[in-house]
Amino acid sequence: MPEVIFPGPEGRLEGRYHPHKGMRDAPIAIILHPHPQFGGTMNNRVVYNLHYTFHNMGFNVLRFNFRGVGRSQGEYDQGVGELSDAASALDYLQSMNQNAKHCWVAGFSFGAWIGMQLLMRRPEITGFISVSPPANMYDFSFLAPCPASGLMINGLGDRVAPPQDTVNLVNKLHEQKGITITHQEVEGAGHFFENDHMDTLTGSVETYVQRRLTENTR
């Protein structure tokens, strides 16, 4: 998988881009990693597995390091700059896939929060995956209304982002019309989907995305 360097708002950003050769209209997906100040990188286990789950479904996939992580330039910016990084990454991905019919964003923990903000800014995003969204730490009220349907998935054993906060977030989004928020809770899984729970996570993501692609709806 080729390492890529592309321009971001504060200098270069480091990523991994995984295309399918010969597919001119393959769908695209961007994967966002957890909190940079708590060890989050694009090589996080959840991010890595999400990347390959999307690629195995025929997507051209990009994951990258936010500013100040790995070889990406800049410094942590409380989520504001990281959202700009994500927008630049999506610009880069789209520049190489101008015929893509579907555009997805997937984020884990802090990356889920950034991903949902990106969703609000970019109407071309047709679906999202939010893994372990930290609704106890960050305000998700900007999702008014949420512009696309998606999957929120969390572990019932999550001690970082308590499950009840995710339930409250999903319930608020369920009140909105025109979209469908699918919520799945994984029995026994922690924040990072350790052990066999990773297989449950990737299987759920694959099932959901495949269904959405065949339905061809928002």
Side-chain angles (χ1 to χ4, degrees), residues 102-115:
H102 296 275
C103 175
W104 282 66
V105 59
F108 168 49
S109 195
F110 173 85
W113 179 57
I114 298 296

Side-chain angles (χ1 to χ4, degrees), residues 38-216:
F38 296 96
T41 78
M42 65 175 172
N43 294 321
N44 167 274
R45 185 166 167 263
V46 173
V47 172
Y48 180 90
N49 279 276
L50 286 173
H51 182 115
Y52 275 94
T53 298
F54 272 93
H55 187 261
N56 290 340
M57 287 188 285
F59 282 73
N60 291 345
V61 190
L62 174 68
R63 72 183 195 269
F64 72 99
N65 281 328
F66 288 123
R67 57 184 63 197
V69 177
R71 295 170 59 197
S72 292
Q73 295 179 318
E75 297 179 352
Y76 174 67
D77 191 32
Q78 309 292 328
V80 177
E82 286 74 17
L83 176 56
S84 296
D85 294 344
S88 294
L90 184 54
D91 288 342
Y92 173 74
L93 181 60
Q94 288 177 317
S95 71
M96 295 183 293
N97 296 276
Q98 297 181 15
N99 296 316
K101 296 178 182 178
H102 296 275
C103 175
W104 282 66
V105 59
F108 168 49
S109 195
F110 173 85
W113 179 57
I114 298 296
M116 298 304 285
Q117 294 179 74
L118 186 66
L119 180 72
M120 294 297 294
R121 292 187 171 199
R122 303 296 283 263
E124 67 270 29
I125 296 176
T126 50
F128 70 86
I129 304 293
S130 284
V131 179
S132 305
N136 59 320
M137 303 178 199
Y138 298 104
D139 183 5
F140 282 79
S141 62
F142 57 82
L143 293 168
C146 181
S149 297
L151 170 68
M152 290 192 171
I153 182 168
N154 62 291
L156 285 174
D158 193 333
R159 296 182 180 180
V160 178
Q164 186 57 49
D165 292 294
T166 302
V167 170
N168 294 341
L169 171 59
V170 170
N171 287 341
K172 287 181 181 178
L173 295 175
H174 277 165
E175 297 172 3
Q176 299 181 13
K177 297 179 180 179
I179 61 162
T180 301
I181 303 299
T182 300
H183 182 209
Q184 183 168 351
E185 298 177 305
V186 180
E187 185 74 40
H191 191 67
F192 298 94
F193 289 85
E194 299 87 348
N195 305 320
D196 294 341
H197 298 303
M198 184 64 70
D199 292 337
T200 304
L201 170 63
T202 55
S204 296
V205 169
E206 181 176 358
T207 298
Y208 177 79
V209 175
Q210 292 282 26
R211 176 174 63 79
R212 284 286 307 281
L213 291 177
T214 57
E215 289 175 351
N216 199 25

